[in-house]
Amino acid sequence: MGAPTKVLVVGAAGRMGQAIARLIATGAIPGLELAGAVDRADSPLIGQDAGAAAGVRPLGVKISGDLDAALAARPDVAVDFSSHAATAAAAPKMAAAGIAWVVGTTGLGPDEKEAIAQAAQKVPVVLSANMSLGVNLLFALVEQAARALQGRGYDCEIIERHHRRKKDAPSGTALFLGEAAAKGYGWNLRETAVDGRSGLPGERPEKEIGFHAVRGGDIVGDHTVLFAADGECVELSHRATSRDTLAIGALRAAAWLPGRAPALYGMGDVLGLNPGSPA
Ligand code: NAD
């Protein structure tokens, strides 16, 4: 086996950053080594060992507030679960340092996404709002189902359920599922999405994708896409029971990305789920 892939975690003091450090320490994806850990300079965890802070064992990597120094140490790949502003600010630094970059941060605005796209002209980047294998498989299946069913009277509705603390609705994953369905149908999601229904919306037109958000308790995240026709209904569902599945997806991307050509990749490429994906 070759040398381990050196991983820098950005947002190392956060929930996902700690999960990444813990799962590297436990060897969830073989061949990865924690080489650096960065968080905000004012984080109370600065100076602490990243492994100990993540509740496993000391890994000999202290959480630092200095991204420039961490990049100068030449990790093979940076895994970023920080904030939309921090990720956008890091983009030109990743490009200048030539470091492959896995971005899991969500809530990115158009300019912030553009900063990432610019970086992807210089370095390979994986950007995905949901890194679980199961959800990415669901994206591929939904697109395939919509393509097979389009023009045959199957109405598409997307139902998502999340914990009571979730701030946005519908979830980013639900919207991405809507994109997958719209792509399969050959539609533009912006022209066809309907967010919930109340009052007297009238009969459902055929060219519509409905979204419905349920909130309550500690539900990690459930998504169902249904295709309802006269006489039958096809349902494709995913249920998350642990956030670790997202961190493991990010680590799969970290193992896959170094050495790839500069481009903006998705998890479908990492997992080989897209037709024409790089192997
Ligand atoms: P969190 O708030 O627990 O952690 C974010 C961490 O980033 C914090 O420790 C914070 O101090 C740090 N941070 C903020 N600014 C920084 C900067 N300038 N430099 C370095 N670190 C900085 O949040 P979380 O639950 O770990 O989620 C982080 C991000 O990842 C969010 O955008 C979340 O929506 C997203 N997320 C994505 C996926 C996915 O599968 N893609 C899964 C879960 C969470």
Side-chain angles (χ1 to χ4, degrees):
M1 206 169 124
T5 299
K6 292 186 284 174
V7 181
L8 164 67
V9 181
V10 183
R15 278 165 296 200
M16 287 301 291
Q18 291 192 19
I20 297 276
R22 176 168 49 77
L23 290 164
I24 291 176
T26 56
I29 300 290
L32 301 177
E33 173 187 290
L34 189 70
V38 171
D39 207 279
R40 289 161 59 119
D42 60 354
S43 163
L45 296 192
I46 294 295
Q48 289 199 22
D49 185 278
V56 264
R57 57 187 161 79
L59 293 171
V61 175
K62 286 194 163 58
I63 300 178
S64 123
D66 189 344
L67 177 62
D68 295 325
L71 293 176
R74 310 244 17 102
D76 295 307
V77 58
V79 177
D80 189 335
F81 284 90
S82 58
S83 79
H84 59 98
T87 294
K93 296 184 180 199
M94 297 294 170
I99 306 293
W101 193 25
V102 175
V103 181
T105 310
T106 63
L108 299 157
D111 291 351
E112 293 166 336
K113 283 188 182 155
E114 178 55 29
I116 295 169
Q118 291 287 327
Q121 294 184 4
K122 297 268 164 37
V123 292
V125 178
V126 170
L127 173 66
S128 174
N130 191 315
M131 296 199 162
S132 102
L133 192 157
V135 160
N136 283 278
L137 176 63
L138 186 63
F139 291 147
L141 292 173
V142 165
E143 183 183 334
Q144 190 184 345
R147 183 164 293 122
L149 299 173
Q150 61 100 6
R152 295 176 164 175
Y154 286 76
D155 299 327
C156 180
E157 298 281 310
I158 299 174
I159 302 117
E160 57 101 331
R161 308 193 310 162
H162 282 88
H163 52 85
R164 66 167 77 92
R165 293 175 307 284
K166 186 163 180 63
K167 297 191 178 72
D168 55 322
S171 69
T173 300
L175 290 170
F176 211 71
L177 286 165
E179 293 282 3
K183 195 171 168 196
Y185 278 128
W187 298 345
N188 181 330
L189 183 63
R190 262 170 303 170
E191 291 165 6
T192 48
V194 172
D195 191 3
R197 292 186 190 86
S198 67
L200 284 169
E203 281 193 20
R204 185 194 198 285
E206 186 192 333
K207 199 172 175 182
E208 193 164 278
I209 296 177
F211 291 87
H212 311 277
V214 179
R215 295 289 174 267
D218 63 353
I219 301 168
V220 174
D222 299 348
H223 293 86
T224 295
V225 181
L226 62 85
F227 296 92
D230 291 339
E232 66 172 3
C233 182
V234 180
E235 293 192 24
L236 299 171
S237 292
H238 176 271
R239 172 165 295 178
T241 52
S242 160
R243 287 177 184 81
D244 276 8
T245 184
L246 303 163
I248 285 176
L251 291 181
R252 281 201 176 95
W256 179 87
L257 193 60
R260 302 268 161 195
L264 194 55
Y265 299 100
M267 281 305 287
D269 298 313
V270 174
L271 300 168
L273 299 173
N274 294 343
S277 291

